[in-house]
Structures are given as C-alpha cells and as structure tokens.
Amino acid sequence: MAYGLLKVLTGIIIAVIITIIGVAGIQNIPVGQVALITHFGELQEGVLTEGWKYVTPVSDALITYDTRIQLYPKPLSTYDGQQEVPMIVSTSSDGQDVPIKFGLNYHVNQGKVFDIHKKIGSNYEFIVIKNVVENTIKDVMGKYTADYMYQNREDVANAIEAKLSSNLKNYDGCINCFELDRFSIANIEFKSQFADALERKATAKTDAETAWNKVEELKALAQQKIE
C-alpha cells in the first residue's frame, strides 16, 4: 500500500517537474522584434521571428533585437521633468562654433541581426550609430559657412541626410546592417551676437532685393509709357 502510494506521488512529482520545464521553455518574441538563440552560451545560426517559440530550458536562451524604427538621440529628462533633446557642437568652414539639435529615425536590417550581434554586439547604438551620426554631422557642417547654414538650414539637413544614409549603410564591418529612415535639424543655435549679425545681413539682402525689384518695376513702367 505504502509502496503504491509512493509510486503515485513520484509519478505526480515527475509530471509536475516536466510541466514546469515545458512551460518555462515557452517564450514569446514580441511584434517588431527578432531573436537569436544561444546553446550553453554559444551563438547558433539563424534568426527567430515574432511569435511563441519553444526553447530548451537551462541549455538555451534568447537574445532579442528590436527591428522597429528607432529614435536617436533619445530625449533626456531635465530636473523639472521636461524632455530635452541633446545637442552636439560642430564647426563651420569659417570657424564658428555651431551647436545643433537634431533627430533621426533608423532601424536595423532584420536579415543582418546575426552579423550585428557577432561583429558589433547589442550595444550597437553607442558603438555605431552615435559615432557615425556625430562624425557625419560635423563633417558635412564643416563644409558650409555659418551664414549659409543660417539661411539654408533645409539644404544642410538634406546634405547631412544623404551622407548619413550612405555612411550607415556602408559601415565598415557590417555592410547594409543599418538603414536611415529620416533626418531633421530641430535647431541651430548661433551665439546671440552672431545670430543678430546674420539677421541684419539677411534683412539687408532682402531689402536690397526689394529695392532692385522696385527699380526694375519702375523701368518697365517707364518703357511702357515710351511705347
């Protein structure tokens, strides 16, 4: 009797353990993410897409990567709870320090996640994105005068976007691993005195163009009277 009861209890315990192990092995990969699998810490070939997956507990583990569109840089929280966009300082071709606030969207190429993890690691945003973005912005802005940037911010943004898209796509060591989706300049902050001088220069240019157009208009009217 006792032996039979012990046998039943042992069977129940084994069943419970098997159930726990089975449940523990069921993992969900969220929408917009993919996962790599390691077996006793060793990276395995292949990428798992979103959905419920079974991995062997203890021996296997998942490393997830977000393939959705990402924002860089992430806004920083200030002491009063506000969100502040960080800036970097570039130097114009005429030697002016030009602080710039910017934002961009990018995503990792799903088909390259294995290469990214093997060649760069999960800290790719700091290792690749940060360095490529900041170096590209400084390189492109260094080709323009502060005056040109003040009056043609959109042109400068487009030039940075084109160069940045190429630099990310052709990043040495992981070609086509990263894709730029959008880049924009939130603000270019010139020193107040320099900004005032640029504003006066821009106003003078506009006034000169207006005066020239007025002269041409008067010349046309005079010509009409002669005719």
Side-chain angles (χ1 to χ4, degrees):
M1 182 74 176
Y3 175 75
L5 180 61
L6 179 62
K7 190 174 181 179
V8 170
L9 290 175
T10 302
I12 293 174
I13 292 171
I14 292 173
V16 169
I17 292 173
I18 292 173
T19 301
I20 292 173
I21 291 174
V23 171
I26 300 174
Q27 297 191 37
N28 181 44
I29 302 174
V31 174
Q33 296 187 21
V34 297
L36 303 174
I37 189 168
T38 61
H39 183 66
F40 289 111
E42 182 141 353
L43 187 64
Q44 304 299 296
E45 292 283 349
V47 176
L48 301 178
T49 55
E50 61 193 47
W52 292 98
K53 310 293 179 184
Y54 180 79
V55 296
T56 306
V58 181
S59 63
D60 295 349
L62 295 182
I63 304 171
T64 57
Y65 274 80
D66 198 332
T67 58
R68 295 171 297 180
I69 293 176
Q70 305 291 315
L71 171 66
Y72 182 84
K74 307 291 190 299
L76 302 174
S77 297
T78 60
Y79 68 94
D80 56 357
Q82 298 297 315
Q83 294 291 302
E84 174 108 12
V85 178
M87 66 170 64
I88 64 171
V89 179
S90 299
T91 303
S92 64
S93 62
D94 53 346
Q96 295 291 333
D97 287 337
V98 184
I100 174 178
K101 290 183 178 180
F102 65 94
L104 64 91
N105 297 121
Y106 77 95
H107 67 274
V108 300
N109 188 333
Q110 179 174 313
K112 290 287 188 175
V113 168
F114 184 85
D115 289 339
I116 291 172
H117 186 80
K118 198 168 183 181
K119 297 175 181 179
I120 302 169
S122 57
N123 196 22
Y124 60 83
E125 184 165 280
F126 179 79
I127 297 172
V128 177
I129 305 300
K130 180 179 184 297
N131 289 325
V132 171
V133 169
E134 293 186 5
N135 289 337
T136 302
I137 289 175
K138 291 177 180 180
D139 179 52
V140 174
M141 293 186 71
K143 297 176 181 177
Y144 298 102
T145 64
D147 186 8
Y148 184 89
M149 285 188 275
Y150 183 81
Q151 299 185 57
N152 302 277
R153 188 172 78 175
E154 195 65 29
D155 289 345
V156 176
N158 290 338
I160 293 174
E161 183 175 57
K163 185 69 173 176
L164 188 54
S165 178
S166 176
N167 287 350
L168 282 175
K169 184 174 291 188
N170 297 295
Y171 177 74
D172 186 29
C174 206
I175 304 297
N176 292 324
C177 290
F178 307 98
E179 299 281 345
L180 177 70
D181 296 288
R182 181 176 175 272
F183 174 86
S184 63
I185 294 177
N187 193 22
I188 300 178
E189 298 187 4
F190 297 96
K191 293 180 181 178
S192 58
Q193 292 180 340
F194 187 69
D196 291 342
L198 290 176
E199 183 64 34
R200 287 194 298 271
K201 183 176 180 180
T203 301
K205 181 180 178 181
T206 302
D207 290 345
E209 290 174 350
T210 301
W212 176 259
N213 291 335
K214 187 66 175 176
V215 168
E216 291 297 308
E217 183 182 342
L218 292 173
K219 285 170 65 178
L221 288 174
Q223 185 63 34
Q224 287 177 9
K225 286 182 180 180
I226 292 171
E227 293 175 353

